[in-house]
Amino acid sequence: MKTYYTPGCALFLGVVLFFSACSSDEDIAPQSTTQSSPMPNAPGDANAVLAAVISYSDLPDAMPSVPGVVGLAIDVASGSFFNGAIGSDLVNVGEVKLNSKALQIPGGNAYINDPTDFSYSLAAGQTNTWQVAGGSGFDGFTHATVKKMPSQVKFSSSVGTSFSKGSDVTLTIEAVTSNTDNILWVISDGKTTVTKESKTASVTFSSSELSGLNATSTGLVQAASYNAEEKSFSGKKVYFINETVHTKIIEIN
């Protein structure tokens, strides 16, 4: 796991995680919410999707304050291989690695990063290397992405911790980051999600677009800067995603 903080605060990270794990059920909800990583839609003819994500999350207000620590950053990796076009049944293709670290299959042939290891050597401005052993109709391959990880996307200070769904809501980031093809914007109450895609530093969700959201103290807003590339291996189209995402826990009234 990585953090973004001022120097000298690394020793406090264990304390932060301890309080997070031992909080009440009500406090746990934001933590589970922040682990979600919004993904762009892959082309309909993709046979596989491999994603490398640096997920930045602000600390929930309910978490005890730690001097200098403003949030957490974790590496998230996932892989989906289909027996046909995207959306068909998932298949097992043997070992899958991102930057020499193996992903796991917790169930249903969906590949994810080791849940105890949040560091897959992801960094802004670098390329990533995927290794697939092969199986279920997929040949083995190794691919270093041509496109680089986007720089860290970050909400501006104008994005508060609460808003009314009865009014228009504007989300703003500090800047459109480098190596970004597009930006996926998200507002969610944990069940219902409203999204927009726009490579701009600001987007507005209208009150009518937000009308289906429920009031909650554990909603979230996200901005995900991503790029994507497609490559074919023996007739199988594989879609590679690089992404950085910033998540803020918010109250929806």
Side-chain angles (χ1 to χ4, degrees), residues 108-155:
N109 289 328
Y111 289 82
I112 63 169
N113 55 280
D114 181 343
T116 65
D117 187 348
F118 297 102
S119 180
Y120 275 66
S121 301
L122 302 183
Q126 74 164 29
T127 60
N128 295 304
T129 299
W130 290 90
Q131 296 170 278
V132 175
S136 302
F138 285 82
D139 289 347
F141 65 84
T142 296
H143 177 67
T145 59
V146 176
K147 294 185 177 182
K148 300 176 181 180
M149 289 292 295
S151 300
Q152 176 188 347
V153 63
K154 188 175 182 180
F155 281 115

Coordinates of all heavy atoms in Angstrom, one line a residue, residues 108-155:
G108 N -15.0 -17.5 -9.9 CA -15.7 -17.1 -11.1 C -14.8 -16.7 -12.2 O -15.2 -16.0 -13.2
N109 N -13.5 -17.1 -12.1 CA -12.5 -16.8 -13.2 C -12.2 -15.3 -13.4 O -11.7 -14.9 -14.4 CB -12.9 -17.4 -14.5 CG -12.8 -18.9 -14.5 OD1 -12.0 -19.5 -13.9 ND2 -13.7 -19.6 -15.3
A110 N -12.5 -14.5 -12.4 CA -12.2 -13.1 -12.5 C -10.8 -12.9 -11.8 O -10.6 -13.3 -10.6 CB -13.2 -12.2 -11.8
Y111 N -9.9 -12.3 -12.5 CA -8.5 -12.0 -11.9 C -8.5 -10.7 -11.2 O -8.9 -9.7 -11.7 CB -7.5 -12.0 -13.0 CG -7.2 -13.4 -13.7 CD1 -8.1 -13.9 -14.6 CD2 -6.1 -14.2 -13.3 CE1 -7.8 -15.2 -15.2 CE2 -5.9 -15.4 -13.8 CZ -6.7 -15.9 -14.8 OH -6.5 -17.1 -15.4
I112 N -7.9 -10.7 -10.0 CA -7.7 -9.4 -9.2 C -6.4 -9.5 -8.6 O -5.7 -10.5 -8.4 CB -8.8 -9.2 -8.2 CG1 -8.8 -10.3 -7.1 CG2 -10.2 -9.1 -8.8 CD1 -9.6 -10.0 -5.9
N113 N -5.9 -8.3 -8.1 CA -4.6 -8.3 -7.3 C -4.8 -9.0 -6.0 O -5.9 -9.2 -5.5 CB -4.2 -6.8 -7.1 CG -5.3 -6.0 -6.4 OD1 -6.2 -5.5 -7.1 ND2 -5.2 -5.8 -5.1
D114 N -3.7 -9.5 -5.5 CA -3.6 -10.1 -4.2 C -4.2 -9.1 -3.2 O -3.7 -8.0 -3.0 CB -2.2 -10.4 -3.9 CG -2.0 -11.1 -2.5 OD1 -2.9 -11.1 -1.7 OD2 -0.9 -11.7 -2.3
P115 N -5.3 -9.4 -2.5 CA -5.9 -8.5 -1.5 C -5.0 -8.1 -0.4 O -5.3 -7.1 0.4 CB -7.2 -9.2 -1.1 CG -6.9 -10.7 -1.3 CD -6.0 -10.7 -2.5
T116 N -3.9 -8.8 -0.2 CA -3.0 -8.4 0.9 C -1.8 -7.7 0.4 O -0.9 -7.3 1.2 CB -2.5 -9.7 1.6 OG1 -1.7 -10.5 0.8 CG2 -3.6 -10.5 2.2
D117 N -1.7 -7.4 -0.9 CA -0.6 -6.7 -1.5 C -1.1 -5.6 -2.4 O -1.7 -5.9 -3.5 CB 0.3 -7.7 -2.3 CG 1.6 -7.1 -2.8 OD1 1.7 -5.8 -2.8 OD2 2.4 -7.8 -3.3
F118 N -1.0 -4.4 -2.0 CA -1.5 -3.2 -2.8 C -0.4 -2.5 -3.6 O -0.7 -1.4 -4.0 CB -2.2 -2.3 -1.8 CG -3.4 -2.9 -1.1 CD1 -3.3 -3.3 0.2 CD2 -4.6 -3.1 -1.8 CE1 -4.4 -3.9 0.8 CE2 -5.7 -3.6 -1.2 CZ -5.6 -4.0 0.1
S119 N 0.7 -3.1 -3.8 CA 1.8 -2.5 -4.5 C 2.2 -3.3 -5.7 O 2.8 -4.4 -5.5 CB 3.0 -2.2 -3.6 OG 4.0 -1.6 -4.3
Y120 N 1.8 -2.9 -6.9 CA 2.1 -3.6 -8.1 C 3.0 -2.8 -9.0 O 3.0 -2.9 -10.2 CB 0.8 -4.0 -8.9 CG 0.3 -5.3 -8.3 CD1 -0.2 -5.4 -7.1 CD2 0.3 -6.5 -9.1 CE1 -0.7 -6.6 -6.6 CE2 -0.2 -7.7 -8.7 CZ -0.7 -7.8 -7.4 OH -1.2 -9.0 -6.9
S121 N 3.9 -2.0 -8.3 CA 4.9 -1.1 -9.0 C 4.2 -0.2 -10.0 O 4.8 0.1 -11.1 CB 5.9 -2.0 -9.7 OG 6.6 -2.8 -8.8
L122 N 3.0 0.3 -9.7 CA 2.4 1.3 -10.6 C 2.9 2.7 -10.2 O 3.0 3.0 -9.0 CB 0.9 1.2 -10.4 CG 0.2 -0.1 -10.8 CD1 -1.3 0.0 -10.6 CD2 0.6 -0.6 -12.1
A123 N 3.1 3.5 -11.2 CA 3.6 4.9 -11.0 C 3.2 5.7 -12.2 O 3.2 5.3 -13.3 CB 5.1 4.9 -10.8
A124 N 2.8 7.0 -11.9 CA 2.4 7.9 -13.0 C 3.6 8.1 -13.9 O 4.7 8.1 -13.6 CB 2.1 9.3 -12.4
G125 N 3.2 8.0 -15.2 CA 4.2 8.3 -16.3 C 5.0 7.0 -16.7 O 5.9 7.1 -17.5
Q126 N 4.7 5.9 -16.1 CA 5.4 4.7 -16.5 C 4.5 3.8 -17.4 O 3.2 3.9 -17.3 CB 5.8 3.9 -15.3 CG 4.7 3.1 -14.6 CD 5.2 2.1 -13.6 OE1 6.3 2.2 -13.1 NE2 4.4 1.0 -13.4
T127 N 5.1 2.8 -18.1 CA 4.3 1.8 -18.8 C 4.2 0.6 -17.9 O 4.9 0.5 -16.9 CB 5.0 1.4 -20.1 OG1 6.3 0.9 -19.8 CG2 5.1 2.6 -21.0
N128 N 3.3 -0.3 -18.2 CA 3.1 -1.5 -17.4 C 3.2 -2.8 -18.3 O 2.9 -2.7 -19.5 CB 1.7 -1.5 -16.8 CG 1.5 -0.4 -15.8 OD1 2.3 -0.3 -14.8 ND2 0.5 0.4 -16.0
T129 N 3.7 -3.8 -17.7 CA 4.0 -5.1 -18.4 C 3.0 -6.2 -17.9 O 3.0 -6.5 -16.7 CB 5.4 -5.5 -18.3 OG1 6.3 -4.5 -18.9 CG2 5.6 -6.9 -19.1
W130 N 2.3 -6.7 -18.8 CA 1.3 -7.8 -18.5 C 1.9 -9.1 -19.1 O 2.4 -9.2 -20.2 CB 0.0 -7.6 -19.1 CG -0.8 -6.5 -18.5 CD1 -0.8 -5.1 -18.8 CD2 -1.7 -6.6 -17.3 NE1 -1.6 -4.4 -17.9 CE2 -2.2 -5.3 -17.1 CE3 -2.1 -7.7 -16.6 CZ2 -3.1 -5.0 -16.0 CZ3 -3.0 -7.4 -15.5 CH2 -3.5 -6.1 -15.3
Q131 N 1.8 -10.2 -18.3 CA 2.2 -11.5 -18.8 C 1.0 -12.5 -18.6 O 0.4 -12.6 -17.5 CB 3.4 -12.1 -18.0 CG 4.6 -11.2 -18.2 CD 5.7 -11.6 -17.2 OE1 5.7 -11.2 -16.0 NE2 6.6 -12.5 -17.6
V132 N 0.6 -13.2 -19.6 CA -0.5 -14.1 -19.6 C 0.0 -15.5 -20.0 O 0.6 -15.6 -21.1 CB -1.7 -13.6 -20.5 CG1 -2.8 -14.7 -20.5 CG2 -2.2 -12.3 -20.0
A133 N -0.2 -16.5 -19.2 CA 0.3 -17.8 -19.5 C -0.4 -18.4 -20.7 O 0.2 -19.1 -21.6 CB 0.2 -18.8 -18.3
G134 N -1.7 -18.3 -20.8 CA -2.5 -18.8 -21.9 C -3.4 -20.0 -21.5 O -3.1 -20.7 -20.5
G135 N -4.5 -20.1 -22.2 CA -5.4 -21.2 -21.9 C -6.8 -20.8 -22.3 O -7.1 -19.6 -22.5
S136 N -7.7 -21.8 -22.4 CA -9.1 -21.6 -22.8 C -9.2 -20.8 -24.1 O -10.1 -19.9 -24.2 CB -9.8 -20.8 -21.6 OG -9.8 -21.6 -20.4
G137 N -8.4 -21.1 -25.1 CA -8.5 -20.4 -26.4 C -7.6 -19.2 -26.5 O -7.5 -18.6 -27.6
F138 N -6.9 -18.8 -25.4 CA -6.0 -17.6 -25.5 C -4.6 -18.1 -25.5 O -4.2 -18.9 -24.6 CB -6.2 -16.7 -24.2 CG -7.4 -15.9 -24.2 CD1 -8.7 -16.4 -23.9 CD2 -7.4 -14.6 -24.6 CE1 -9.8 -15.6 -23.9 CE2 -8.5 -13.8 -24.6 CZ -9.8 -14.3 -24.3
D139 N -3.8 -17.7 -26.4 CA -2.4 -17.9 -26.4 C -1.7 -17.1 -25.4 O -2.2 -16.0 -25.0 CB -1.8 -17.6 -27.8 CG -2.2 -18.6 -28.9 OD1 -2.7 -19.7 -28.6 OD2 -2.0 -18.3 -30.1
G140 N -0.6 -17.6 -24.9 CA 0.2 -16.8 -23.9 C 0.8 -15.6 -24.6 O 1.1 -15.7 -25.8
F141 N 1.0 -14.6 -23.8 CA 1.6 -13.4 -24.4 C 2.2 -12.5 -23.3 O 1.9 -12.6 -22.1 CB 0.6 -12.5 -25.2 CG -0.5 -11.9 -24.4 CD1 -0.3 -10.7 -23.7 CD2 -1.7 -12.5 -24.4 CE1 -1.4 -10.1 -23.0 CE2 -2.8 -12.0 -23.7 CZ -2.6 -10.8 -23.0
T142 N 3.1 -11.7 -23.7 CA 3.7 -10.6 -22.8 C 3.5 -9.3 -23.6 O 3.9 -9.2 -24.7 CB 5.2 -10.9 -22.5 OG1 5.3 -12.1 -21.7 CG2 5.8 -9.7 -21.7
H143 N 3.0 -8.3 -22.9 CA 2.8 -7.0 -23.5 C 3.1 -5.9 -22.6 O 2.6 -5.8 -21.5 CB 1.3 -6.9 -23.9 CG 1.0 -5.5 -24.6 ND1 1.5 -5.1 -25.8 CD2 0.2 -4.5 -24.1 CE1 1.0 -3.9 -26.0 NE2 0.3 -3.5 -25.0
A144 N 4.0 -5.0 -23.1 CA 4.3 -3.7 -22.3 C 3.5 -2.6 -23.0 O 3.5 -2.4 -24.2 CB 5.8 -3.4 -22.4
T145 N 2.6 -2.0 -22.2 CA 1.7 -1.0 -22.7 C 2.5 0.2 -23.4 O 3.6 0.6 -22.9 CB 0.8 -0.4 -21.7 OG1 1.6 0.2 -20.6 CG2 -0.1 -1.5 -21.1
V146 N 2.0 0.6 -24.5 CA 2.6 1.8 -25.2 C 2.3 3.1 -24.4 O 3.1 3.9 -24.2 CB 2.2 1.9 -26.6 CG1 2.7 3.1 -27.3 CG2 2.6 0.6 -27.4
K147 N 1.1 3.2 -24.0 CA 0.6 4.3 -23.2 C 1.1 4.2 -21.8 O 1.2 3.1 -21.2 CB -0.9 4.5 -23.3 CG -1.4 4.8 -24.7 CD -2.9 5.0 -24.8 CE -3.3 5.4 -26.2 NZ -4.8 5.7 -26.3
K148 N 1.3 5.4 -21.2 CA 1.8 5.4 -19.8 C 0.7 5.7 -18.8 O -0.4 6.2 -19.2 CB 2.9 6.6 -19.7 CG 4.1 6.3 -20.6 CD 5.0 7.5 -20.5 CE 6.2 7.3 -21.4 NZ 7.2 8.5 -21.4
M149 N 0.9 5.4 -17.5 CA 0.0 5.7 -16.5 C -0.3 7.2 -16.4 O 0.6 8.0 -16.5 CB 0.5 5.2 -15.1 CG 0.5 3.7 -14.9 SD -1.1 2.9 -14.9 CE -1.8 3.6 -13.4
P150 N -1.6 7.6 -16.4 CA -1.9 9.0 -16.2 C -1.3 9.6 -14.9 O -1.1 8.8 -13.9 CB -3.4 9.1 -16.2 CG -3.8 7.8 -16.9 CD -2.8 6.8 -16.5
S151 N -1.0 10.8 -14.9 CA -0.6 11.5 -13.6 C -1.8 11.5 -12.7 O -2.9 11.3 -13.1 CB -0.1 12.9 -13.9 OG 1.0 12.9 -14.8
Q152 N -1.5 11.7 -11.4 CA -2.5 11.7 -10.4 C -3.6 12.8 -10.6 O -3.3 13.9 -10.8 CB -1.9 11.9 -9.0 CG -3.0 12.0 -7.9 CD -2.4 12.4 -6.5 OE1 -1.1 12.4 -6.4 NE2 -3.2 12.7 -5.6
V153 N -4.8 12.3 -10.7 CA -5.9 13.3 -10.8 C -6.3 13.6 -9.4 O -6.3 12.8 -8.5 CB -7.1 12.6 -11.6 CG1 -7.7 11.4 -10.9 CG2 -8.2 13.7 -11.8
K154 N -6.7 14.9 -9.2 CA -7.1 15.3 -7.8 C -8.2 16.3 -7.9 O -8.1 17.3 -8.6 CB -5.9 15.9 -7.1 CG -6.1 16.2 -5.6 CD -4.8 16.6 -5.0 CE -5.0 16.9 -3.5 NZ -3.8 17.4 -2.8
F155 N -9.2 16.1 -7.0 CA -10.3 17.1 -6.9 C -9.7 18.4 -6.4 O -8.8 18.4 -5.5 CB -11.4 16.6 -6.0 CG -12.3 15.6 -6.6 CD1 -12.4 14.3 -6.2 CD2 -13.1 16.0 -7.7 CE1 -13.2 13.4 -6.8 CE2 -14.0 15.0 -8.3 CZ -14.1 13.7 -7.8

